[in-house]
Amino acid sequence: TSESILGKGGFPRIGPIQQMIDTKTLTAYNSEVVDYFGLKIPRKIEAELIPRTDCYTNVQFKKFLIGPLGFDAPEQFKGALDITYLDDDLRLTRGDKGNLFVLTRQ
């Protein structure tokens, strides 16, 4: 979620957030590792991307995974992304809650 990506509340994140977008299947995956009481536990979110224009995409969260446990996201877990800048190395995106995301390609 945006709150997690921004590091608000919860357990401390270890390392970077990784994002993979599959343009063929229109799916996105965000993953990170979090320190739960000294244990390094991976977390992952799977989402469906629903493009509305060249720059605006709705996001329907599909699945949340914490370590080996996974559960389907409720239907109301959705958002949107407005891509404000894109080149081969950098993407600036504003989320539906007003958050600005700066993503670099690695």
Side-chain angles (χ1 to χ4, degrees):
T1 65
S2 293
E3 297 290 311
S4 174
I5 290 170
L6 293 170
K8 294 183 176 179
F11 294 90
R13 184 174 42 247
I14 301 168
I17 296 172
Q18 302 287 321
Q19 182 178 78
M20 197 227 16
I21 296 176
D22 186 328
T23 57
K24 291 180 184 173
T25 63
L26 294 176
T27 52
Y29 307 91
N30 286 359
S31 63
E32 63 185 355
V33 177
V34 179
D35 184 343
Y36 286 107
F37 307 105
L39 298 173
K40 296 177 182 176
I41 307 292
R43 294 194 304 192
K44 184 176 181 180
I45 298 172
E46 298 176 5
E48 175 185 6
L49 303 174
I50 305 128
R52 295 297 177 209
T53 69
D54 287 345
C55 297
Y56 192 83
T57 300
N58 287 341
V59 178
Q60 177 65 58
F61 296 101
K62 292 294 190 178
K63 191 164 194 166
F64 295 94
L65 296 107
I66 301 172
L69 305 174
F71 56 94
D72 292 335
E75 181 68 28
Q76 67 267 25
F77 280 47
K78 44 181 90 175
L81 297 171
D82 183 12
I83 300 169
T84 56
Y85 179 80
L86 177 65
D87 69 20
D88 290 338
D89 300 311
L90 181 70
R91 185 175 86 223
L92 301 178
T93 305
R94 187 164 301 278
D96 60 314
K97 294 183 174 46
N99 300 323
L100 180 64
F101 301 100
V102 179
L103 296 104
T104 58
R105 184 182 302 261
Q106 292 187 352

